[in-house]
Amino acid sequence: MKIQIIGFSGSGKSTLAKRLGKFYGIPHLHLDVVQFYGDWQERDKKVQNQIVEQFLSENENWVIDGNYSSVAPRRFEMSDITIYLAYNPFFCYRMCKRRYKIHKDSPRESCPCKEKFDYTFKKWILFDGRTKARRKKHIQNLNKTKGQKLIFKNRKSLEKWLQGIGCPPLTEEDKLT
């Protein structure tokens, strides 16, 4: 099983990746960990590609969360399921704010940098990360997959699908990491 998860910032891509990885007993990779290090410094694209390509070659089955379409783009073609979390901006904003309160000024498993919730990020969540071009790119990436394409516009529809495949909810401890 190869699963690619894309979507807007704060939609829960990393949490879903962890949940599906745990359910299927397969490794998961957070692309924020690949892209960033230190104090929001970005790795060179070549290095990012090497990390993801190594992960793909070492794992027959996987879950990868993150958009970064220029990083190992073949992962979209390889995926059996591509999930697009197309939640509304206000929901994503609330989730980012909640995440910030939990992880304030400390890194989390899915991102090695200190959590922040500044003006630039808030603007990204509500506007800059949702331009017509960015939404179009999500659909293009979704359409690259040869496997199943799933679009969820809210958490309720995602939960219904997860229940349908028998995936249990994450524990409270899992949610905090």
Side-chain angles (χ1 to χ4, degrees), residues 79-92:
S79 68
D80 300 312
I81 300 173
T82 300
I83 299 170
Y84 175 25
L85 301 179
Y87 299 167
N88 98 31
F90 303 108
F91 174 84
C92 294

Side-chain angles (χ1 to χ4, degrees), residues 29-87:
L29 178 65
H30 305 292
L31 291 185
D32 281 347
V33 171
V34 173
Q35 179 162 359
F36 299 109
Y37 69 96
D39 188 23
W40 295 98
Q41 296 159 303
E42 291 187 36
R43 286 189 175 88
D44 178 78
K45 285 285 188 225
K46 184 177 179 181
V47 173
Q48 292 179 47
N49 273 297
Q50 289 170 341
I51 293 168
V52 177
E53 287 296 338
Q54 182 175 348
F55 179 82
L56 293 173
S57 68
E58 291 176 353
N59 297 287
E60 184 177 336
N61 298 295
W62 44 259
V63 181
I64 298 175
D65 80 86
N67 300 315
Y68 312 111
S69 57
S70 64
V71 176
R74 72 185 186 101
R75 65 192 154 93
F76 291 102
E77 296 164 11
M78 295 173 68
S79 68
D80 300 312
I81 300 173
T82 300
I83 299 170
Y84 175 25
L85 301 179
Y87 299 167

